[in-house]
């Protein structure tokens, strides 16, 4: 049993995300890590997604215990802490970011544009927040 637990821990993945370009320290950052393209970019209904919320004063986020695999990371800066991404005429009023840092102008990127391979062990990722309004 102890050997099994040691092997499981050795094959787990940890993802450290560095946050960049936050416009201010108000509100919260909501993060979602999903392996399922059907639930991208809003993975709130993905039962297997890893979700985490932290203060916007933080500049680093750690997600532990991931199974190695292909994932997409979505972040949004909930400046007014109302638990949703506010939009005006379909344009986000709050900041957002994705793994692989695609430039977003019209609509969210596709899962294939932002997915990353997370191997066993430790992976470090930097995500730049974008603000359109």
């Amino acid at each position: 049993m102890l050997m099994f637990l040691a092997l499981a821990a050795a094959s787990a993945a940890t993802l450290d995300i560095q946050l960049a370009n936050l416009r201010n320290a108000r509100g919260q950052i909501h993060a979602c890590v999903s392996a399922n393209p059907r639930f991208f970019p809003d993975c709130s209904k993905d039962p297997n997604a890893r979700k985490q919320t932290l203060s916007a004063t933080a500049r680093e986020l750690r997600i532990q215990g991931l199974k190695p695999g292909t994932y997409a990371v979505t972040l949004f800066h909930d400046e007014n802490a109302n638990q949703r991404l506010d939009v005006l005429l379909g344009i986000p009023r709050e900041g957002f970011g994705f793994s692989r840092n695609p430039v977003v102008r019209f609509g969210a990127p596709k899962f294939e544009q932002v997915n990353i391979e997370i191997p066993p062990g430790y992976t470090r990722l930097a995500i730049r927040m974008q603000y359109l309004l």
Side-chain angles (χ1 to χ4, degrees):
M1 180 69 165
L2 190 55
M3 178 73 140
F4 175 75
L5 291 174
L7 288 173
S11 66
T14 296
L15 177 63
D16 271 356
I17 302 170
Q18 298 291 313
L19 305 174
N21 295 348
L22 282 166
R23 146 162 88 191
N24 58 55
R26 291 192 309 259
Q28 303 169 323
I29 303 297
H30 297 282
C32 195
V33 180
S34 177
N36 191 332
R38 289 188 314 134
F39 294 107
F40 179 82
D42 177 11
C43 68
S44 62
K45 293 187 172 102
D46 180 352
N48 298 312
R50 296 291 299 274
K51 301 167 192 121
Q52 196 165 334
T53 299
L54 62 151
S55 167
T57 59
R59 294 297 185 258
E60 187 172 309
L61 162 67
R62 174 171 280 181
I63 299 174
Q64 296 178 301
L66 290 169
K67 289 172 43 176
T70 303
Y71 294 89
V73 179
T74 305
L75 304 174
F76 80 90
H77 182 185
D78 184 11
E79 292 177 271
N80 59 4
N82 66 353
Q83 308 300 309
R84 67 174 189 264
L85 178 66
D86 296 329
V87 296
L88 176 66
L89 301 173
I91 301 169
R93 298 183 71 201
E94 297 174 303
F96 56 87
F98 299 99
S99 40
R100 292 176 47 188
N101 294 307
V103 175
V104 176
R105 289 193 171 74
F106 302 102
K110 296 189 182 327
F111 184 88
E112 295 76 25
Q113 294 174 292
V114 300
N115 65 4
I116 57 171
E117 193 65 33
I118 299 178
Y122 178 81
T123 299
R124 190 172 194 85
L125 177 68
I127 295 182
R128 290 185 313 272
M129 301 301 288
Q130 299 179 54
Y131 297 84
L132 301 178
L133 295 177

